[in-house]
Amino acid sequence: MKLGNIQWRIAALKNGFQDATAYRLEFLFEVLGAAFVPAAIQWVLWYALFKVGGATQIAGMTYEDMVAYTLVSILFTQVRGGDHDFELAEMIRGGGLSNYLLRPVGVVEFVYIRGVAPKIFIAGFCLVLGIAAMLLSKIFPSVAAATPNLTPLNLIYGMALAFFGNIIHYQVGATLATASFYWEEAYSLMMVKNMIVQLLSGELIPLNLFPESMQWIWKSTPFYLYVFGPTQIALGRWSTEEIWMQFGIAGLWMIGGWVLIRASWGLGIRRYLSLGG
Amino acid sequence: MSTIIEVKDIRRAFRSPKKEEGMKGTMKLLFKPEFSEHEALKGVNFKIEQGSFVGLIGANGAGKTTLLKILSGLIPPTSGSARVLGIDPFDRPMNFRHQISLVMGQKAQLWWDLPAVDAFDLLKAIYEIPEKTYRERLNTLTELLDVTKHLNTQIRRLSLGERMKMELIGALLHWPKVIFLDEPTIGLDVLAAAKLREFLRVFNQREKVTIILTSHNMDDIERLCSRVLILRNGEMIFDGQPSKLIQQGACRLRVRLKEEIPAAKLSQWTGLAESAIEIAEPEADDEGDAGDIKTIYFETKQEAVVTVLQALMKNCSIIDMGVEEPSLESVIQRIYSDPKA
């Protein structure tokens, strides 16, 4: 790769971070707010089932297992994709894409790099936070007992897989965004995708709660690589072989995503209207 | 000089859904949509030499912006071909993108929430401009456009004029060989527009860049462009020097009459169409006294002035008269409104 190519990518990252942090409070709410609501919902649910309802295990998981999953999954939910695929769809619809098409950069990649910049910061922040919380939690024996394999290295592996997930999430979104070339408005389609992702990424519930006969549903999508997979890795619930296999699967999804983007954008761009102006 | 832009029989049609009025129309659009096709460009041909400053004008919907979008490579033509710098613009190869720029006056291209200097920094990396060259260009451009002190202000907090100047700097930092400017002076005050014009004139002459400018402001065209292309309903109806347009146009006969005569009567006497006769309200003098004698303007050919005057003198008394060279604006106005012009 040419030096100039690396330079624009670094500059785009810097620029994206500057843009995301232009409003400090907004950024803070984005970092702290988004993942805590699903986590709170999960905690209320587990409390009701285990403490009020009297359940001792669900799908082989105890109350402590559930809480550990909920807390660790917050870290990866923060890194799950942003909304820059929505930005792409809106740019196609409203003509904003014209600003990027004439620049000597790949528009899909450029938008991703600018959009992912704050996520890299958040990932680093979550990692430090996660490791600190993990070390502190070892003080409490019940928590330590529920998370025997939660180690800094597992957290780092988990975060790496979450980042692969972030890329795949954008690839799926960027492919769906090309519907805007045909229908003009693809907002609802992307919203449906996000709702499916919420359910099948493991952000709302651990995916092993799915009945055995329905496990194929989440296994046949890449969405579990966003939150469920990284959380399993961080909690040490996957073997080393399983971890490498999942990284391999993520790699294949990324190659597939790249092919899909190339094809859908190559076809769609001929229908671009460059409205406005 | 070599040809830098070549357009051959370019056509472009757009298809859009047609919605009838009211709830019935809404339901029809939902279940049985109908589409209409509009031809924005109908076989346009021209060539532009390197270093030219060309004005592209036409009424709203004439096809100017569509043509610029095709030339810059944003959209493909439905048929016909375009070559810019020897390249099919819609291929948009990287070396093409390095050499062109498009500024749309009605569309922000810089990032709204960031100060201009951050956006320029990114553009420096995108266009691989060496640091020293970047500094020199940025200094030159910001000084020429008088915006140095606004470099660190968020784009959205700038005035329209300042923002437009920043957009222009962002579009020129990589020193493009071809610049497409779509209404760059829109919304600017007289001073800002004049500065921008002067800057464009100097930039075109100094750097020998090719500029195509669309504008509804005839001052822009008159002062900057050595050649004008006029589009009407997607067709090219004029291609030449602005001065030729004026010579070819009508002259303006200004007359003040003793009595007030309706336009219909004047039309009948002179044989001119009513649309060629403009009755202006009396102008106030230095003391604010407007008087009650209206000034009448007749748009006519130079050789017909005497005939018109004779017709008027035969039927009424003239207080004073004069012949004015028509402004480019009035000629263009007539061309836009008269399908036979």
Side-chain angles (χ1 to χ4, degrees):
Chain A
M1 193 183 280
K2 265 175 65 190
L3 182 67
N5 290 341
I6 297 168
Q7 276 172 345
W8 80 251
R9 286 176 174 90
I10 293 170
L13 267 178
K14 208 170 88 181
N15 187 273
F17 184 71
Q18 287 164 338
D19 207 6
T21 53
Y23 305 100
R24 286 170 297 172
L25 279 178
E26 168 68 17
F27 181 63
L28 204 66
F29 280 118
E30 193 190 329
V31 175
L32 300 176
F36 287 93
V37 175
I41 295 169
Q42 280 190 60
W43 182 77
V44 170
L45 182 68
W46 307 142
Y47 191 86
L49 287 172
F50 287 95
K51 300 294 179 189
V52 181
T56 51
Q57 275 199 345
I58 299 173
M61 291 173 82
T62 63
Y63 175 69
E64 284 74 22
D65 288 338
M66 293 295 191
V67 172
Y69 179 90
T70 303
L71 291 177
V72 174
S73 69
I74 291 177
L75 302 177
F76 304 115
T77 303
Q78 290 290 41
V79 181
R80 177 174 81 71
D83 285 338
H84 26 295
D85 46 353
F86 278 80
E87 194 185 324
L88 267 180
E90 181 50 36
M91 276 160 48
I92 296 168
R93 195 179 82 94
L97 192 66
S98 307
N99 296 348
Y100 299 88
L101 281 178
L102 301 184
R103 307 279 185 210
V105 291
V107 60
V108 180
E109 188 188 353
F110 183 79
V111 171
Y112 175 71
I113 291 177
R114 281 193 83 247
V116 83
K119 291 286 177 191
I120 293 176
F121 173 81
I122 292 169
F125 176 76
C126 284
L127 212 50
V128 172
L129 190 76
I131 292 170
M134 182 201 73
L135 295 173
L136 276 176
S137 72
K138 298 295 179 194
I139 299 166
F140 304 100
S142 63
V143 180
T147 57
N149 300 317
L150 182 63
T151 63
L153 191 64
N154 278 348
L155 264 177
I156 292 169
Y157 283 149
M159 194 55 83
L161 187 66
F163 239 95
F164 276 38
N166 180 289
I167 295 170
I168 297 166
H169 181 73
Y170 177 71
Q171 289 177 318
V172 172
T175 303
L176 292 179
T178 57
S180 292
F181 286 124
Y182 305 89
W183 312 337
E184 295 198 22
E185 183 62 283
Y187 181 81
S188 299
L189 177 72
M190 316 261 299
M191 278 305 287
V192 169
K193 180 260 305 175
N194 269 9
M195 284 189 270
I196 294 171
V197 165
Q198 272 199 323
L199 184 67
L200 299 184
S201 65
E203 184 180 327
L204 292 178
I205 49 162
L207 297 179
N208 41 4
L209 293 192
F210 271 59
E212 199 62 46
S213 61
M214 293 171 79
Q215 298 266 332
W216 64 270
I217 297 176
W218 63 263
K219 283 180 181 166
S220 54
T221 73
F223 306 142
Y224 74 93
L225 299 164
Y226 304 178
V227 178
F228 178 70
T231 309
Q232 295 295 85
I233 294 175
L235 290 170
R237 290 176 185 167
W238 277 355
S239 64
T240 311
E241 293 75 30
E242 175 79 349
I243 292 171
W244 289 118
M245 192 181 80
Q246 294 302 334
F247 272 107
I249 290 173
L252 289 175
W253 276 111
M254 284 199 287
I255 294 168
W258 182 81
V259 172
L260 271 177
I261 286 178
R262 297 278 298 182
S264 61
W265 277 78
L267 287 172
I269 201 76
R270 293 200 71 83
R271 300 180 66 104
Y272 178 54
L273 295 175
S274 181
L275 295 177
Chain B
M1 267 190 266
S2 60
T3 300
I4 203 158
I5 297 174
E6 190 172 5
V7 170
K8 276 187 197 161
D9 198 24
I10 285 249
R11 289 168 191 278
R12 173 73 205 203
F14 292 101
R15 184 172 170 262
S16 49
K18 221 166 59 181
K19 185 190 172 295
E20 287 168 23
E21 206 179 321
M23 198 57 199
K24 194 180 155 202
T26 306
M27 298 313 283
K28 203 173 163 190
L29 187 70
L30 200 59
F31 296 106
K32 203 181 166 204
E34 280 178 16
F35 294 87
S36 63
E37 201 169 272
H38 162 67
E39 207 171 10
L41 290 173
K42 303 168 183 165
V44 173
N45 292 284
F46 62 87
K47 280 183 186 175
I48 290 177
E49 308 300 317
Q50 189 179 357
S52 315
F53 205 134
V54 178
L56 177 62
I57 56 177
N60 292 332
K64 308 179 297 289
T65 306
T66 302
L67 184 56
L68 286 196
K69 284 174 183 170
I70 290 174
L71 292 179
S72 58
L74 286 176
I75 56 172
T78 311
S79 68
S81 72
R83 309 289 289 178
V84 177
L85 294 151
I87 295 166
D88 177 350
F90 194 64
D91 288 346
R92 288 196 303 270
M94 289 298 174
N95 67 332
F96 174 74
R97 298 190 217 181
H98 271 279
Q99 297 181 80
I100 65 142
S101 206
L102 168 69
V103 180
M104 290 190 173
Q106 299 182 61
K107 213 164 197 167
Q109 301 195 55
L110 299 177
W111 294 275
W112 202 240
D113 293 320
L114 291 177
V117 72
D118 283 344
F120 297 156
D121 202 41
L122 176 57
L123 294 175
K124 178 189 83 173
I126 288 176
Y127 289 101
E128 300 172 44
I129 309 167
E131 179 67 27
K132 190 168 166 270
T133 314
Y134 167 70
R135 288 286 154 210
E136 281 168 10
R137 287 178 188 173
L138 189 62
N139 285 342
T140 310
L141 293 169
T142 49
E143 275 167 28
L144 265 170
L145 288 168
D146 194 20
V147 284
T148 312
K149 63 176 184 284
H150 300 301
L151 275 174
N152 294 298
T153 308
Q154 247 182 346
I155 294 284
R156 71 182 188 89
R157 291 177 192 276
L158 297 175
S159 71
L160 179 62
E162 289 155 359
R163 210 161 64 225
M164 198 58 234
K165 289 176 186 174
M166 294 301 186
E167 292 282 349
L168 206 63
I169 294 173
L172 299 180
L173 269 176
H174 61 289
W175 248 227
K177 287 188 181 151
V178 180
I179 306 172
F180 303 105
L181 297 169
D182 192 12
E183 298 183 41
T185 54
I186 196 165
L188 297 194
D189 64 43
V190 181
L191 192 66
K195 274 195 169 173
L196 202 64
R197 266 198 297 267
E198 178 57 14
F199 167 76
L200 290 172
R201 194 185 60 74
V202 172
F203 195 72
N204 166 252
Q205 284 179 357
R206 196 196 288 172
E207 304 300 329
K208 302 283 173 251
V209 295
T210 309
I211 302 180
I212 300 190
L213 166 81
T214 81
S215 182
H216 288 297
N217 183 343
M218 286 310 128
D219 258 6
D220 292 348
I221 304 293
E222 227 167 348
R223 286 167 202 254
L224 294 171
C225 304
S226 53
R227 182 177 161 197
V228 180
L229 308 174
I230 304 181
L231 282 173
R232 189 174 57 202
N233 298 325
E235 285 171 300
M236 183 79 73
I237 55 164
F238 180 85
D239 178 355
Q241 293 169 354
S243 55
K244 274 193 184 162
L245 198 63
I246 292 172
Q247 281 163 15
Q248 173 183 299
C251 76
R252 207 165 188 232
L253 173 65
R254 175 180 45 77
V255 173
R256 292 210 301 159
L257 302 176
K258 219 166 189 180
E259 57 266 61
E260 201 167 306
I261 295 162
K265 200 86 184 159
L266 291 168
S267 167
Q268 193 189 329
W269 290 343
T270 59
L272 293 174
E274 263 186 69
S275 60
I277 302 169
E278 180 195 342
I279 302 177
E281 286 305 311
E283 280 178 28
D285 58 20
D286 291 346
E287 282 144 24
D289 186 9
D292 53 4
I293 297 174
K294 294 179 176 172
T295 306
I296 305 162
Y297 294 97
F298 296 90
E299 299 284 350
T300 182
K301 300 263 183 207
Q302 267 168 353
E303 59 269 23
V305 169
V306 177
T307 318
V308 173
L309 272 176
Q310 279 173 345
L312 289 173
M313 282 158 72
K314 210 166 108 185
N315 292 290
C316 55
S317 310
I318 296 174
I319 298 172
D320 63 46
M321 55 138 306
V323 178
E324 296 173 358
E325 191 174 79
S327 63
L328 183 62
E329 183 145 354
S330 65
V331 175
I332 299 291
Q333 240 173 37
R334 195 172 57 81
I335 291 176
Y336 287 179
S337 58
D338 183 2
K340 293 189 290 284

